Amino acid sequence: MIKAVRGTRDLLPPDTALWNFVEATAREVFRAYNFHEIRTPIFEDTQLFSRAVGEETDVVSKEMYTWEDRGRAESDHGQSLTLRPENTAGVVRAYIEHKLWDRGLNKLYYMGPQFRRERPQKGRYRQFFQIGAEVIGPSTAGSESPARDAEVLEMLATLLDRLGITGWTLELNSVGCANDRATYNEALRKALEPVASQMCVDCQRRAVTNPLRVFDCKVPEDQPIIESLPRISQYLDEPCREHFSHVQEILKSVGVEFVLNDRLVRGLDYYTRTAFEFTHGALGAQNAILGGGRYDGLSEALGGPPAPGIGFAIGEDRLVMSLQTSAEGAKAKPDVYVAPLGAGMNREAARLARELRRGSAIVELGDETFRLKKSFEVATKLGARYILIVGENEVKADTFALKNLASGEQVQVPRNELAARIVEK
Ligand code: HAM
Protein backbone atom coordinates (compact mmCIF):
# COMPACT_ATOMS: atom_id res chain seq x y z
CA MET A 1 0.00 0.00 0.00
CA ILE A 2 1.26 3.48 -0.86
CA LYS A 3 1.10 5.79 2.13
CA ALA A 4 1.51 9.54 2.63
CA VAL A 5 5.21 10.39 2.81
CA ARG A 6 6.76 10.60 6.30
CA GLY A 7 6.18 14.03 7.81
CA THR A 8 3.20 14.77 5.52
CA ARG A 9 -0.41 14.04 6.28
CA ASP A 10 -3.97 14.19 5.00
CA LEU A 11 -6.31 16.67 6.64
CA LEU A 12 -9.73 15.10 6.85
CA PRO A 13 -13.20 16.21 7.89
CA PRO A 14 -14.25 17.11 10.54
CA ASP A 15 -10.79 18.63 11.25
CA THR A 16 -10.82 20.56 7.97
CA ALA A 17 -13.76 22.58 9.35
CA LEU A 18 -11.39 23.90 12.01
CA TRP A 19 -8.81 24.78 9.38
CA ASN A 20 -11.47 26.66 7.42
CA PHE A 21 -12.61 28.44 10.56
CA VAL A 22 -9.02 29.51 11.35
CA GLU A 23 -8.39 30.72 7.79
CA ALA A 24 -11.72 32.58 7.52
CA THR A 25 -11.14 34.29 10.87
CA ALA A 26 -7.58 35.24 9.88
CA ARG A 27 -8.85 36.77 6.61
CA GLU A 28 -11.46 38.78 8.53
CA VAL A 29 -8.92 40.10 11.01
CA PHE A 30 -6.39 40.90 8.26
CA ARG A 31 -9.05 42.85 6.43
CA ALA A 32 -9.78 44.95 9.50
CA TYR A 33 -6.08 45.94 9.59
CA ASN A 34 -6.01 46.64 5.85
CA PHE A 35 -3.80 43.69 4.85
CA HIS A 36 -4.16 42.19 1.36
CA GLU A 37 -3.37 38.73 0.09
CA ILE A 38 -0.24 37.81 -1.84
CA ARG A 39 0.39 34.35 -3.33
CA THR A 40 3.95 33.49 -4.25
CA PRO A 41 5.20 30.26 -5.89
CA ILE A 42 5.74 27.15 -3.82
CA PHE A 43 9.24 26.70 -5.25
CA GLU A 44 11.88 29.30 -5.90
CA ASP A 45 15.49 29.64 -6.94
CA THR A 46 17.57 28.01 -4.16
CA GLN A 47 19.75 31.10 -3.83
CA LEU A 48 16.79 33.12 -2.64
CA PHE A 49 16.62 31.10 0.56
CA SER A 50 20.34 30.73 1.12
CA ARG A 51 20.78 34.49 0.83
CA ALA A 52 17.68 35.52 2.78
CA VAL A 53 17.49 32.89 5.50
CA GLY A 54 21.25 32.31 5.78
CA GLU A 55 23.65 29.48 4.89
CA GLU A 56 24.40 28.67 8.50
CA THR A 57 20.79 28.29 9.65
CA ASP A 58 19.38 24.80 10.25
CA VAL A 59 16.68 25.55 7.68
CA VAL A 60 19.15 26.16 4.83
CA SER A 61 21.99 23.86 5.87
CA LYS A 62 19.89 20.79 6.76
CA GLU A 63 16.22 21.05 5.99
CA MET A 64 15.55 22.25 2.46
CA TYR A 65 14.05 20.14 -0.32
CA THR A 66 16.35 21.09 -3.15
CA TRP A 67 16.75 19.62 -6.61
CA GLU A 68 18.29 20.40 -9.93
CA ASP A 69 15.75 21.17 -12.65
CA ARG A 70 15.81 18.95 -15.72
CA GLY A 71 14.11 21.29 -18.18
CA ARG A 72 14.93 20.92 -21.89
CA ALA A 73 15.45 24.61 -22.47
CA GLU A 74 18.99 25.89 -21.99
CA SER A 75 17.66 28.68 -19.81
CA ASP A 76 16.37 26.54 -16.97
CA HIS A 77 18.42 23.37 -17.31
CA GLY A 78 20.38 22.60 -14.20
CA GLN A 79 18.84 25.45 -12.20
CA SER A 80 18.79 24.66 -8.51
CA LEU A 81 15.24 24.90 -7.14
CA THR A 82 13.90 24.59 -3.61
CA LEU A 83 10.46 24.03 -2.10
CA ARG A 84 9.87 27.10 0.04
CA PRO A 85 10.77 26.49 3.69
CA GLU A 86 9.16 29.81 4.61
CA ASN A 87 7.40 32.66 2.82
CA THR A 88 9.12 35.91 3.82
CA ALA A 89 11.92 35.49 1.26
CA GLY A 90 9.36 34.97 -1.53
CA VAL A 91 7.37 38.04 -0.50
CA VAL A 92 10.47 40.25 -0.44
CA ARG A 93 11.57 38.84 -3.82
CA ALA A 94 8.12 39.76 -5.19
CA TYR A 95 8.39 43.21 -3.58
CA ILE A 96 11.60 43.82 -5.49
CA GLU A 97 10.52 42.14 -8.74
CA HIS A 98 7.27 44.13 -8.99
CA LYS A 99 8.67 47.38 -7.58
CA LEU A 100 6.02 47.36 -4.90
CA TRP A 101 7.63 50.42 -3.27
CA ASP A 102 5.59 52.46 -5.76
CA ARG A 103 2.59 51.53 -3.62
CA GLY A 104 4.08 52.97 -0.43
CA LEU A 105 3.57 50.73 2.58
CA ASN A 106 2.63 47.18 1.59
CA LYS A 107 0.60 45.14 4.07
CA LEU A 108 0.50 41.62 2.69
CA TYR A 109 -0.68 38.29 4.01
CA TYR A 110 -0.40 34.70 2.81
CA MET A 111 -1.53 31.21 3.66
CA GLY A 112 -0.07 27.98 2.38
CA PRO A 113 2.20 24.97 2.68
CA GLN A 114 5.91 25.23 3.56
CA PHE A 115 8.47 22.44 3.48
CA ARG A 116 11.31 21.56 5.86
CA ARG A 117 12.97 18.19 6.24
CA GLU A 118 12.84 18.11 10.03
CA ARG A 119 12.49 15.07 12.24
CA PRO A 120 8.71 14.60 12.40
CA GLN A 121 7.04 14.67 15.81
CA LYS A 122 3.90 16.09 17.40
CA GLY A 123 3.44 19.58 15.95
CA ARG A 124 6.37 19.21 13.57
CA TYR A 125 5.85 18.13 9.98
CA ARG A 126 7.80 18.17 6.75
CA GLN A 127 4.91 19.78 4.94
CA PHE A 128 3.27 22.25 7.29
CA PHE A 129 1.05 25.27 6.82
CA GLN A 130 1.69 28.87 7.65
CA ILE A 131 -0.56 31.91 7.85
CA GLY A 132 1.72 34.90 7.70
CA ALA A 133 1.85 38.61 7.03
CA GLU A 134 4.49 41.16 6.11
CA VAL A 135 4.56 44.96 6.32
CA ILE A 136 7.21 46.31 3.96
CA GLY A 137 7.96 49.54 2.13
CA PRO A 138 10.26 52.54 1.93
CA SER A 139 11.00 54.12 5.30
CA THR A 140 9.33 57.33 4.06
CA ALA A 141 6.09 55.28 4.13
CA GLY A 142 6.57 54.58 7.83
CA SER A 143 7.80 51.00 7.49
CA GLU A 144 10.53 51.49 10.09
CA SER A 145 8.26 52.91 12.77
CA PRO A 146 7.84 51.06 16.07
CA ALA A 147 4.12 51.70 15.52
CA ARG A 148 4.21 49.03 12.80
CA ASP A 149 5.75 46.46 15.16
CA ALA A 150 3.13 47.21 17.79
CA GLU A 151 0.29 47.08 15.28
CA VAL A 152 1.38 43.67 14.02
CA LEU A 153 1.66 42.31 17.57
CA GLU A 154 -1.69 43.77 18.61
CA MET A 155 -3.27 42.25 15.48
CA LEU A 156 -1.90 38.84 16.47
CA ALA A 157 -3.30 39.14 19.99
CA THR A 158 -6.66 40.06 18.47
CA LEU A 159 -6.57 37.10 16.09
CA LEU A 160 -5.74 34.60 18.83
CA ASP A 161 -8.49 36.05 21.04
CA ARG A 162 -10.96 35.91 18.17
CA LEU A 163 -10.10 32.25 17.62
CA GLY A 164 -10.78 31.55 21.28
CA ILE A 165 -7.17 30.61 22.02
CA THR A 166 -6.27 31.39 25.61
CA GLY A 167 -3.10 30.78 27.57
CA TRP A 168 -0.60 32.16 25.06
CA THR A 169 2.53 34.10 25.96
CA LEU A 170 4.13 36.78 23.80
CA GLU A 171 7.91 36.60 24.16
CA LEU A 172 9.70 39.70 22.97
CA ASN A 173 13.30 40.65 22.27
CA SER A 174 15.36 43.02 20.20
CA VAL A 175 18.18 41.45 18.20
CA GLY A 176 19.64 44.81 17.22
CA CYS A 177 20.69 46.12 13.83
CA ALA A 178 23.77 45.60 11.64
CA ASN A 179 25.73 48.06 13.81
CA ASP A 180 25.31 46.32 17.13
CA ARG A 181 25.37 42.88 15.54
CA ALA A 182 29.01 43.35 14.56
CA THR A 183 30.10 44.23 18.11
CA TYR A 184 27.87 41.55 19.59
CA ASN A 185 29.22 38.89 17.23
CA GLU A 186 32.72 39.87 18.25
CA ALA A 187 31.83 39.54 21.93
CA LEU A 188 30.20 36.17 21.29
CA ARG A 189 33.23 34.90 19.37
CA LYS A 190 35.47 35.92 22.21
CA ALA A 191 33.27 34.28 24.83
CA LEU A 192 33.02 31.10 22.74
CA GLU A 193 36.71 30.74 21.96
CA PRO A 194 37.77 29.07 25.22
CA VAL A 195 34.64 26.87 25.52
CA ALA A 196 33.71 25.95 21.93
CA SER A 197 35.76 22.74 22.01
CA GLN A 198 33.45 21.41 24.76
CA MET A 199 30.38 21.99 22.58
CA CYS A 200 28.71 19.93 19.83
CA VAL A 201 30.23 19.93 16.34
CA ASP A 202 27.55 22.25 14.99
CA CYS A 203 28.31 24.82 17.69
CA GLN A 204 32.06 24.51 17.10
CA ARG A 205 31.43 25.49 13.49
CA ARG A 206 28.87 28.20 14.33
CA ALA A 207 31.27 29.75 16.86
CA VAL A 208 33.48 30.65 13.92
CA THR A 209 31.06 31.24 11.03
CA ASN A 210 27.93 32.72 12.65
CA PRO A 211 28.10 32.77 16.45
CA LEU A 212 24.50 33.97 16.91
CA ARG A 213 23.30 30.60 15.62
CA VAL A 214 24.77 28.92 18.72
CA PHE A 215 21.50 29.94 20.40
CA ASP A 216 19.63 27.49 18.09
CA CYS A 217 21.46 24.56 19.71
CA LYS A 218 19.19 21.99 21.34
CA VAL A 219 21.94 19.74 22.75
CA PRO A 220 21.32 19.57 26.54
CA GLU A 221 25.03 19.43 27.47
CA ASP A 222 25.66 22.72 25.64
CA GLN A 223 22.96 24.66 27.45
CA PRO A 224 24.96 25.75 30.55
CA ILE A 225 27.60 27.28 28.25
CA ILE A 226 24.95 29.00 26.13
CA GLU A 227 23.27 30.29 29.28
CA SER A 228 26.53 32.00 30.30
CA LEU A 229 27.07 33.85 26.98
CA PRO A 230 26.63 37.62 26.70
CA ARG A 231 23.14 38.73 25.67
CA ILE A 232 22.29 40.92 22.70
CA SER A 233 20.31 43.26 25.00
CA GLN A 234 23.61 44.50 26.42
CA TYR A 235 24.85 45.51 22.96
CA LEU A 236 21.96 47.49 21.47
CA ASP A 237 22.85 50.94 20.20
CA GLU A 238 20.78 53.98 21.15
CA PRO A 239 18.38 54.01 18.16
CA CYS A 240 17.67 50.26 18.63
CA ARG A 241 17.08 50.70 22.35
CA GLU A 242 14.71 53.56 21.65
CA HIS A 243 12.85 51.62 19.00
CA PHE A 244 12.42 48.69 21.33
CA SER A 245 11.18 50.73 24.26
CA HIS A 246 8.74 52.54 21.96
CA VAL A 247 7.28 49.19 20.83
CA GLN A 248 6.86 48.17 24.47
CA GLU A 249 5.18 51.45 25.39
CA ILE A 250 2.57 51.10 22.66
CA LEU A 251 1.92 47.47 23.60
CA LYS A 252 1.35 48.50 27.21
CA SER A 253 -0.97 51.30 26.19
CA VAL A 254 -3.12 48.97 24.07
CA GLY A 255 -3.07 46.30 26.78
CA VAL A 256 -1.15 43.51 25.03
CA GLU A 257 0.86 41.59 27.61
CA PHE A 258 4.37 40.35 26.87
CA VAL A 259 7.45 38.99 28.58
CA LEU A 260 11.00 39.97 27.65
CA ASN A 261 13.26 37.08 26.65
CA ASP A 262 16.77 38.15 25.70
CA ARG A 263 17.71 34.63 24.59
CA LEU A 264 15.19 34.76 21.78
CA VAL A 265 17.17 35.19 18.56
CA ARG A 266 14.94 33.25 16.10
CA GLY A 267 16.29 30.60 13.73
CA LEU A 268 16.59 32.72 10.58
CA ASP A 269 19.38 35.19 9.80
CA TYR A 270 17.40 38.11 8.41
CA TYR A 271 16.07 39.47 11.69
CA THR A 272 16.92 42.92 12.99
CA ARG A 273 15.54 44.74 16.03
CA THR A 274 12.17 43.36 17.20
CA ALA A 275 11.93 39.55 17.35
CA PHE A 276 9.05 37.67 18.90
CA GLU A 277 7.32 34.36 19.43
CA PHE A 278 3.91 33.44 20.77
CA THR A 279 4.13 30.24 22.75
CA HIS A 280 1.38 28.02 24.10
CA GLY A 281 1.73 25.78 27.11
CA ALA A 282 -0.51 22.97 25.86
CA LEU A 283 1.59 22.21 22.78
CA GLY A 284 4.46 20.25 24.30
CA ALA A 285 8.01 20.49 22.97
CA GLN A 286 7.01 22.36 19.80
CA ASN A 287 5.40 25.17 21.74
CA ALA A 288 5.89 28.09 19.31
CA ILE A 289 2.54 28.83 17.75
CA LEU A 290 4.04 31.61 15.66
CA GLY A 291 7.19 33.63 15.22
CA GLY A 292 8.34 36.77 13.52
CA GLY A 293 10.17 40.03 13.66
CA ARG A 294 11.78 42.86 11.75
CA TYR A 295 14.06 42.38 8.75
CA ASP A 296 15.18 45.89 7.87
CA GLY A 297 18.11 44.76 5.69
CA LEU A 298 16.53 41.86 3.81
CA SER A 299 15.50 43.71 0.65
CA GLU A 300 19.03 45.06 0.21
CA ALA A 301 20.53 41.62 0.88
CA LEU A 302 18.44 40.38 -2.06
CA GLY A 303 19.57 43.20 -4.35
CA GLY A 304 16.59 45.50 -3.78
CA PRO A 305 16.32 49.04 -2.44
CA PRO A 306 16.24 49.77 1.30
CA ALA A 307 12.86 48.50 2.51
CA PRO A 308 12.40 47.97 6.23
CA GLY A 309 9.83 45.35 7.08
CA ILE A 310 8.24 43.34 9.83
CA GLY A 311 6.14 40.21 9.74
CA PHE A 312 5.26 36.90 11.27
CA ALA A 313 4.14 33.39 10.38
CA ILE A 314 1.71 31.32 12.37
CA GLY A 315 2.19 27.53 12.32
CA GLU A 316 -1.37 26.66 11.32
CA ASP A 317 -0.93 22.98 12.26
CA ARG A 318 -0.04 24.03 15.80
CA LEU A 319 -2.74 26.67 15.97
CA VAL A 320 -5.39 24.13 15.05
CA MET A 321 -3.97 21.72 17.67
CA SER A 322 -4.37 24.31 20.38
CA LEU A 323 -8.02 25.02 19.54
CA GLN A 324 -10.85 23.51 21.52
CA THR A 325 -12.01 21.11 18.85
CA SER A 326 -15.45 20.37 20.19
CA ALA A 327 -17.09 23.78 19.81
CA GLU A 328 -16.03 24.44 16.25
CA GLY A 329 -16.29 20.83 15.18
CA ALA A 330 -19.99 20.98 16.01
CA LYS A 331 -20.46 23.80 13.52
CA ALA A 332 -19.41 21.51 10.70
CA LYS A 333 -22.44 19.27 11.11
CA PRO A 334 -25.43 19.51 8.74
CA ASP A 335 -28.51 21.43 9.83
CA VAL A 336 -30.82 19.00 8.11
CA TYR A 337 -30.87 15.59 6.49
CA VAL A 338 -33.38 15.48 3.65
CA ALA A 339 -34.82 11.95 3.40
CA PRO A 340 -36.66 11.07 0.18
CA LEU A 341 -39.19 8.34 0.90
CA GLY A 342 -40.14 6.02 -1.97
CA ALA A 343 -39.55 5.74 -5.70
CA GLY A 344 -39.48 8.98 -7.67
CA MET A 345 -38.75 11.10 -4.61
CA ASN A 346 -35.06 11.87 -5.39
CA ARG A 347 -36.18 14.59 -7.79
CA GLU A 348 -38.43 16.29 -5.25
CA ALA A 349 -35.83 15.96 -2.52
CA ALA A 350 -33.17 17.52 -4.76
CA ARG A 351 -35.46 20.49 -5.46
CA LEU A 352 -36.14 20.96 -1.80
CA ALA A 353 -32.46 20.64 -0.85
CA ARG A 354 -31.63 23.33 -3.41
CA GLU A 355 -34.20 25.69 -1.90
CA LEU A 356 -32.95 25.07 1.61
CA ARG A 357 -29.30 25.61 0.66
CA ARG A 358 -30.28 28.89 -1.00
CA GLY A 359 -31.83 29.74 2.34
CA SER A 360 -28.36 29.19 3.95
CA ALA A 361 -29.07 25.79 5.49
CA ILE A 362 -26.33 23.12 5.53
CA VAL A 363 -28.04 20.18 3.87
CA GLU A 364 -27.19 16.50 3.43
CA LEU A 365 -29.30 14.61 0.94
CA GLY A 366 -30.39 10.98 1.29
CA ASP A 367 -31.61 8.54 -1.32
CA GLU A 368 -35.05 7.21 -2.25
CA THR A 369 -33.83 3.62 -1.99
CA PHE A 370 -33.23 4.07 1.76
CA ARG A 371 -35.92 2.86 4.11
CA LEU A 372 -37.02 5.38 6.72
CA LYS A 373 -35.11 3.51 9.43
CA LYS A 374 -31.87 3.71 7.46
CA SER A 375 -32.39 7.44 6.77
CA PHE A 376 -32.72 8.04 10.51
CA GLU A 377 -29.56 6.05 11.17
CA VAL A 378 -27.53 7.99 8.60
CA ALA A 379 -28.89 11.36 9.77
CA THR A 380 -28.04 10.53 13.39
CA LYS A 381 -24.54 9.36 12.49
CA LEU A 382 -23.90 12.62 10.63
CA GLY A 383 -25.01 14.60 13.66
CA ALA A 384 -27.74 16.46 11.71
CA ARG A 385 -30.04 18.60 13.84
CA TYR A 386 -33.17 17.81 11.80
CA ILE A 387 -34.45 15.17 9.48
CA LEU A 388 -36.95 16.19 6.82
CA ILE A 389 -39.16 13.55 5.26
CA VAL A 390 -40.02 13.96 1.58
CA GLY A 391 -42.82 11.54 0.68
CA GLU A 392 -45.59 11.70 -1.91
CA ASN A 393 -48.16 13.02 0.59
CA GLU A 394 -45.86 15.76 1.81
CA VAL A 395 -45.13 16.92 -1.72
CA LYS A 396 -48.85 17.01 -2.55
CA ALA A 397 -49.67 19.00 0.61
CA ASP A 398 -46.56 21.20 0.18
CA THR A 399 -46.04 20.75 3.93
CA PHE A 400 -43.27 18.59 5.37
CA ALA A 401 -42.55 16.68 8.54
CA LEU A 402 -39.50 18.19 10.24
CA LYS A 403 -38.13 16.22 13.15
CA ASN A 404 -35.59 17.46 15.67
CA LEU A 405 -33.27 14.50 16.13
CA ALA A 406 -32.12 15.50 19.60
CA SER A 407 -35.49 16.28 21.21
CA GLY A 408 -37.63 13.96 19.06
CA GLU A 409 -40.10 16.82 18.53
CA GLN A 410 -41.81 16.71 15.12
CA VAL A 411 -43.69 19.53 13.42
CA GLN A 412 -45.46 20.04 10.08
CA VAL A 413 -43.92 23.01 8.28
CA PRO A 414 -45.13 24.64 5.04
CA ARG A 415 -42.53 24.56 2.31
CA ASN A 416 -41.89 28.31 2.21
CA GLU A 417 -41.16 28.44 5.95
CA LEU A 418 -38.77 25.50 6.03
CA ALA A 419 -35.41 27.22 5.45
CA ALA A 420 -36.05 29.91 8.07
CA ARG A 421 -37.17 27.32 10.57
CA ILE A 422 -34.09 25.14 9.97
CA VAL A 423 -31.43 27.86 10.14
CA GLU A 424 -32.83 29.55 13.26
CA LYS A 425 -30.77 28.15 16.13
P1 HAM B 1 9.60 30.33 11.74
O1 HAM B 1 9.76 30.62 13.20
O2 HAM B 1 10.63 29.55 11.08
O3 HAM B 1 9.45 31.76 11.04
O4 HAM B 1 8.20 29.63 11.51
C1 HAM B 1 7.01 30.24 11.99
C2 HAM B 1 6.12 29.20 12.61
O5 HAM B 1 5.88 28.12 11.70
C3 HAM B 1 6.69 28.52 13.84
O6 HAM B 1 6.50 29.28 15.00
C4 HAM B 1 5.88 27.23 13.88
O7 HAM B 1 4.63 27.46 14.50
C5 HAM B 1 5.65 26.93 12.42
N1 HAM B 1 6.56 25.87 11.96
C6 HAM B 1 7.86 25.99 11.61
N2 HAM B 1 8.37 24.78 11.24
C7 HAM B 1 7.36 23.88 11.39
C8 HAM B 1 7.24 22.47 11.17
N3 HAM B 1 8.26 21.74 10.70
N4 HAM B 1 6.04 21.88 11.43
C9 HAM B 1 4.99 22.61 11.89
N5 HAM B 1 5.05 23.94 12.09
C10 HAM B 1 6.21 24.58 11.85
C11 HAM B 1 9.25 31.92 9.70
O8 HAM B 1 8.97 31.04 8.93
C12 HAM B 1 9.32 33.38 9.27
N6 HAM B 1 9.15 33.44 7.80
C13 HAM B 1 8.29 34.21 9.98
C14 HAM B 1 8.35 35.65 9.61
C15 HAM B 1 7.57 36.29 8.74
N7 HAM B 1 9.25 36.52 10.05
C16 HAM B 1 9.03 37.69 9.48
N8 HAM B 1 8.01 37.56 8.67
Side-chain angles (χ1 to χ4, degrees), residues 86 88 110 116 118 123-125 128 130 134 266 268 270-271 288-293 295 311-313 315 318:
E86 61 100 54
T88 308
Y110 49 83
R116 297 183 192 176
E118 295 192 80
R124 189 160 75 192
Y125 307 96
F128 60 99
Q130 283 186 342
E134 313 292 346
R266 312 271 303 123
L268 315 167
Y270 49 63
Y271 290 110
I289 251 183
L290 68 92
Y295 42 85
F312 64 85
R318 295 183 192 172

Side-chain angles (χ1 to χ4, degrees), residues 2 4 46 69 77 80 104 160 169 209 227 254 320 338 341-342 394 407:
I2 299 174
T46 303
D69 202 19
H77 192 77
S80 179
L160 295 182
T169 305
T209 55
E227 201 53 44
V254 295
V320 168
V338 175
L341 192 64
E394 281 84 358
S407 67

